[in-house]
């Protein structure tokens, strides 16, 4: 089926951007992994409808776009590799890199040769290419999977570190066979390896350090920092590749790791900017890759190629991971998840596309199978692992079923009573405070607590937040509440970071402050910290009321005592809906409404019908 295909470059760019962002939005709305939708959309507009034909419409620019995009994505991944994450996962990560790569390389190559009947040179190159688990796939999946911190660190570190290693290994294996015929392979391959590592360390690590020192000494204005970093990343990638093939990926990864761990004041803004850019580039790259799939190439794939892919996914990868992680202080269920999840990404496709023609020119048998095998493995693993990561991780107890926990920052008698009421309504709560004394009452009440500064690196390293969906900053310091909300809003969503209203003698000033750097106002303008405390000491109580088909929210409001604050609603599945200014608050039957108001239990009990469940 052939439809109209855009012929101008602006039309192609516009189409790719529109499809990519639309797929990301649909993925967010439907909870389907974005990578899966991007791949399917690319196949639909490419091989199926022939609307987008990147190789014809973009020509040589296609490879450049993909390579530069991958460089930025890998830098973004390195920027998010924080050394404090390794405190709990260092043993496992070390095994996945030091032992996982050589074991995977050996098992994949043996599988390709003995199961697929592929000649040893091509089988070894193929085995080297697919040792990677691409960050272009893993990072978007982790964004939606809600995994625990440690297992997410395993997958993230393995993908980002192994991606350039796999590409470099494939090039070295190729060089081995290229130079073997001339009897000089040994010295040349070792020289190439040493050159690549040296180039990566100097151009990546040293340039990142110099750049970080310039930022630290305020030698670069704020508005130029992000553009400068982007320009340097591209320059380092191109320069490293010019010195040694595939050294660019290793160099930009090294650059990201060094810069991301220099504790720069603007590093969070930089991570956020690069994350937004990486999301856009992942969308573009996957749409282009899927649309560029040539179905004629797949005709070279024999039936035994399908068995090769199945054996790699079901046998070779699990065996390699299981052996590599023996004695690594990893839980059995973590090893099971790692053994299953190994989607390949853009680097594998690009490396195969570059090396396959050169192998064919050198006269190696079965070189024509390298591209179809690699591309098929990429699409199968993206679809299968993308669709199953959430289900498998939840079945193994390594992911939250939903992001419905309320994180309360600030322990006080009022927040303690609120937490107790929510727990009684089957909601999930975590309370954080810097005072062990203030946390005493919540601890004795059985409320989960974290003692420490929520904005500290130690909290970032140890506090599990994969199931946190809503934040309530409720300390006595309005400015601190605003700081907490502005810090966590990009991760949770600005509509899910709440704080108590700010006290100000000038109401207009408070509202202007609210519009800038603070969270949403929780519960209403009258829910000031001091007033809540005074109401609690004067006898106000928390009440939870379950709505039914016969007792709707309107009936409940009519029965409330004057002055009662409507705080939030707990849905049947534990999700929370906080009452806030400028947000509609309309709980439905089955929801439990939590309120705070005057204690008029006798009057309320007499007026409320028997089919409404109310308690305080």
């Amino acid at each position: 089926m052939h439809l109209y295909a855009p012929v101008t470059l602006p039309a192609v760019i516009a189409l790719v951007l529109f499809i990519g962002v639309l797929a990301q939005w649909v993925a967010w709305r439907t909870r389907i992994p974005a990578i899966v939708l991007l791949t399917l959309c690319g196949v639909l507009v490419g091989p199926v409808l022939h609307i987008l034909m990147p190789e014809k419409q973009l020509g040589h620019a296609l490879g450049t776009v993909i390579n530069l995009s991958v460089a930025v994505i890998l830098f973004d991944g390195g920027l998010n590799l924080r050394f404090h994450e390794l405190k709990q996962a260092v043993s496992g990560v070390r095994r996945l890199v030091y032992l996982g790569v050589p074991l995977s390389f050996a098992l994949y190559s043996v599988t390709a040769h003995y199961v697929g009947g592929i000649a040893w040179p091509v089988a070894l190159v193929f085995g080297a290419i697919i040792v990677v688990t691409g960050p272009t796939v893993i990072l978007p999946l982790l964004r939606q999977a809600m995994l625990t911190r440690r297992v997410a660190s395993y997958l993230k570190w393995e993908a980002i570190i192994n991606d350039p290693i796999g590409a470099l290994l494939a090039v070295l294996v190729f060089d081995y066979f290229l130079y073997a015929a001339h009897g000089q392979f040994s010295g040349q391959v070792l020289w190439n390896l040493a050159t690549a590592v040296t180039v990566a360390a100097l151009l990546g690590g040293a340039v990142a350090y110099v750049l970080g020192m310039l930022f630290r000494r305020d030698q670069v204005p704020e508005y130029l920092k992000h553009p400068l970093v982007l320009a340097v990343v591209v320059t380092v990638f191109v320069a490293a590749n010019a010195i040694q093939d595939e050294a660019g990926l290793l160099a930009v990864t090294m650059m990201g790791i060094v810069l991301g761990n220099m504790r720069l004041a603007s590093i969070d803004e930089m991570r956020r900017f690069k994350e937004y850019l990486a999301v856009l580039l992942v969308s573009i790259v996957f749409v282009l890759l899927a649309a560029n799939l040539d179905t004629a190439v797949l005709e070279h794939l024999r039936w035994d190629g399908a068995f090769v892919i199945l054996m790699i996914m079901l046998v070779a990868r699990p065996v390699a991971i299981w052996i590599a992680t023996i004695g690594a202080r990893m839980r059995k269920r973590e090893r099971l998840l790692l053994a299953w999840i190994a989607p390949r990404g853009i680097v594998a496709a690009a490396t195969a596309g570059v090396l396959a023609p050169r192998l064919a020119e050198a006269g190696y048998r079965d070189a024509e199978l390298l591209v179809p095998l690699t591309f098929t493995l990429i699409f199968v693993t993206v679809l299968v692992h993308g669709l199953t990561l959430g289900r498998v991780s939840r079945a193994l107890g390594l992911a939250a079923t939903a992001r419905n926990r309320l994180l309360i920052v600030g322990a006080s008698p009022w927040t303690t009573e609120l937490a107790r009421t929510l727990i009684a309504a089957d909601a999930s709560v975590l309370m954080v405070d810097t005072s062990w004394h203030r946390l005493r009452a919540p601890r004795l009440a059985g409320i989960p607590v974290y003692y420490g500064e929520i904005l500290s690196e130690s909290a970032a390293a140890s506090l599990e937040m994969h199931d946190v969906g809503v934040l309530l900053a409720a300390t006595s310091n309005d400015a601190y509440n605003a700081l907490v909300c502005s810090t966590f809003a990009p991760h949770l969503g600005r509509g899910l970071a709440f704080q108590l209203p700010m006290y100000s003698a000038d109401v207009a000033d408070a509202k202007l402050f609210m519009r800038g750097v603070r969270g949403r106002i929780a519960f209403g303008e009258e829910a000031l910290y001091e007033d809540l405390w005074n109401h609690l000491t004067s006898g106000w109580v928390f009440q939870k009321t379950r709505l039914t088909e016969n007792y709707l929210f309107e009936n409940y409001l009519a029965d409330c005592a004057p002055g009662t604050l409507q705080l939030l609603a707990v849905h049947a599945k534990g999700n929370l809906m906080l009452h806030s200014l400028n947000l509609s608050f309309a709980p439905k039957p089955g929801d439990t409404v939590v309120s705070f108001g005057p204690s008029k239990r006798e009057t309320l009990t007499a007026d409320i019908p028997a089919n409404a469940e109310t308690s305080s």
Side-chain angles (χ1 to χ4, degrees), residues 25 218 317 366:
W25 181 80
D218 296 324
R317 165 72 178 185
D366 297 327

Side-chain angles (χ1 to χ4, degrees), residues 407-416 418 431-433 438 471-478 480-482 484-485 498-501 522-523 527-530 532-533:
L407 176 64
I408 301 177
V409 180
S412 68
W414 188 85
T415 55
T416 299
L418 171 63
M431 187 173 293
V432 179
D433 201 284
R438 287 194 294 266
L471 167 72
L472 172 62
T475 72
S476 59
N477 188 325
D478 293 327
Y480 179 77
N481 291 342
V484 170
C485 286
F498 297 84
Q499 72 174 95
L500 297 181
F523 317 136
L528 296 168
Y529 181 90
E530 294 82 358
L532 295 175
W533 184 290

Side-chain angles (χ1 to χ4, degrees), residues 405-615:
R405 174 175 282 198
L406 174 64
L407 176 64
I408 301 177
V409 180
S412 68
W414 188 85
T415 55
T416 299
E417 290 302 315
L418 171 63
R420 290 178 60 181
T421 305
L422 291 176
I423 291 174
D426 296 326
S428 180
V429 179
L430 174 64
M431 187 173 293
V432 179
D433 201 284
T434 57
S435 170
W436 189 250
H437 172 72
R438 287 194 294 266
L439 287 173
R440 182 176 183 275
R443 286 187 293 110
L444 294 177
I447 299 169
V449 301
Y450 176 82
Y451 169 56
E453 172 55 64
I454 187 65
L455 300 177
S456 67
E457 287 191 5
S458 60
S462 59
L463 185 60
E464 286 283 0
M465 293 190 60
H466 63 285
D467 59 348
V468 171
V470 185
L471 167 72
L472 172 62
T475 72
S476 59
N477 188 325
D478 293 327
Y480 179 77
N481 291 342
L483 178 61
V484 170
C485 286
S486 62
T487 299
F488 284 93
H491 306 285
L492 298 175
R494 298 208 170 267
L496 297 171
F498 297 84
Q499 72 174 95
L500 297 181
M502 172 175 286
Y503 174 80
S504 175
D506 189 337
V507 177
D509 287 344
K511 289 185 177 180
L512 287 174
F513 189 84
M514 176 189 67
R515 294 172 187 170
V517 293
R518 68 173 299 165
R520 287 187 179 274
I521 295 297
F523 317 136
E525 290 181 339
E526 64 276 16
L528 296 168
Y529 181 90
E530 294 82 358
D531 292 344
L532 295 175
W533 184 290
N534 292 333
H535 288 323
L536 185 66
T537 57
S538 64
W540 279 32
V541 295
F542 289 89
Q543 291 191 352
K544 51 185 179 64
T545 303
R546 188 172 181 273
L547 304 180
T548 67
E549 295 290 347
N550 298 321
Y551 189 71
L552 302 175
F553 185 55
E554 293 77 9
N555 308 120
Y556 163 77
L557 289 177
D559 292 328
C560 284
T564 298
L565 294 175
Q566 310 305 321
L567 303 181
L568 51 88
V570 182
H571 298 315
K573 294 183 178 180
N575 296 324
L576 303 177
M577 177 174 62
L578 268 68
H579 184 207
S580 175
L581 291 175
N582 304 322
L583 284 181
S584 112
F585 185 70
K588 296 180 173 52
D591 296 344
T592 298
V593 181
V594 177
S595 61
F596 179 62
S599 178
K600 293 188 177 181
R601 188 179 183 86
E602 294 80 7
T603 304
L604 290 173
T605 304
D607 293 341
I608 295 177
N611 51 24
E613 303 173 8
T614 302
S615 61

Side-chain angles (χ1 to χ4, degrees), residues 93-371:
V93 170
R94 191 163 50 228
R95 294 295 190 89
L96 291 173
V97 176
Y98 295 163
L99 292 179
V101 170
L103 282 172
S104 298
F105 171 52
L107 290 172
Y108 297 160
S109 302
V110 168
T111 301
H113 178 71
Y114 287 107
V115 176
I118 300 173
W120 270 118
V122 177
L124 288 167
V125 173
F126 175 69
I129 290 173
I130 64 171
V131 298
V132 304
T133 54
T136 53
V137 186
I138 287 292
L139 296 181
L141 288 180
L142 293 181
R143 196 174 290 118
Q144 294 176 280
M146 299 182 291
L147 298 179
T148 58
R149 180 186 304 277
R150 192 163 76 164
V151 73
S153 295
Y154 289 142
L155 289 170
K156 183 167 66 173
W157 276 84
E158 181 195 19
I160 295 170
I161 296 298
N162 285 358
D163 216 36
I165 290 176
L168 183 59
L169 178 62
V171 171
L172 292 176
V173 172
F174 170 79
D175 287 346
Y176 173 91
F177 291 107
L178 189 65
Y179 294 114
H182 303 89
Q184 49 180 273
F185 65 89
S186 177
Q188 187 63 46
V189 170
L190 292 177
W191 171 255
N192 290 346
L193 176 60
T195 303
V197 173
T198 303
V199 167
L202 292 180
L203 276 181
V207 169
Y209 180 78
V210 171
L211 199 59
M213 293 305 296
L214 290 175
F215 292 166
R216 186 172 289 170
R217 296 174 182 176
D218 296 324
Q219 298 299 309
V220 180
E222 292 297 323
Y223 74 92
L224 272 183
K225 286 183 178 179
H226 301 329
L228 178 61
V229 169
L230 183 60
V232 172
V233 167
V234 173
T235 303
V236 166
F237 174 74
V238 173
N241 274 345
I243 299 172
Q244 174 61 49
D245 286 345
E246 303 304 329
L249 296 178
L250 195 57
V252 295
T253 303
M254 180 73 71
M255 181 179 171
I257 294 174
V258 172
L259 198 61
N261 288 278
M262 290 186 67
R263 299 184 178 181
L264 301 176
S266 57
I267 193 64
D268 286 336
E269 296 177 12
M270 193 179 301
R271 286 193 180 107
R272 205 167 299 134
F273 171 75
K274 290 299 181 290
E275 180 184 7
Y276 299 154
L277 187 60
V279 168
L280 186 62
L281 292 177
V282 165
S283 304
I284 293 172
V285 166
F286 262 89
V287 170
L288 289 175
L289 176 67
N292 198 50
L293 181 64
D294 186 0
T295 53
V297 173
L298 298 180
E299 295 175 0
H300 292 287
L301 195 62
R302 305 187 295 256
W303 277 107
D304 48 10
F307 291 106
V308 170
I309 292 171
L310 288 176
M311 289 293 291
I312 288 172
M313 294 175 62
L314 301 178
V315 179
R317 165 72 178 185
V319 170
I321 294 300
W322 206 257
I323 295 175
T325 55
I326 292 175
R329 290 177 293 182
M330 295 172 64
R331 290 176 289 182
K332 182 178 179 180
R333 51 186 178 171
E334 293 174 339
R335 297 169 72 190
L336 286 172
L337 183 66
L338 289 170
W340 171 240
I341 300 299
R344 276 67 176 184
I346 305 301
V347 172
T351 307
V354 170
L355 298 184
R358 297 170 67 181
L359 282 172
E361 290 176 6
Y364 285 105
R365 182 171 58 87
D366 297 327
E368 72 279 359
L369 297 176
L370 186 60
V371 169

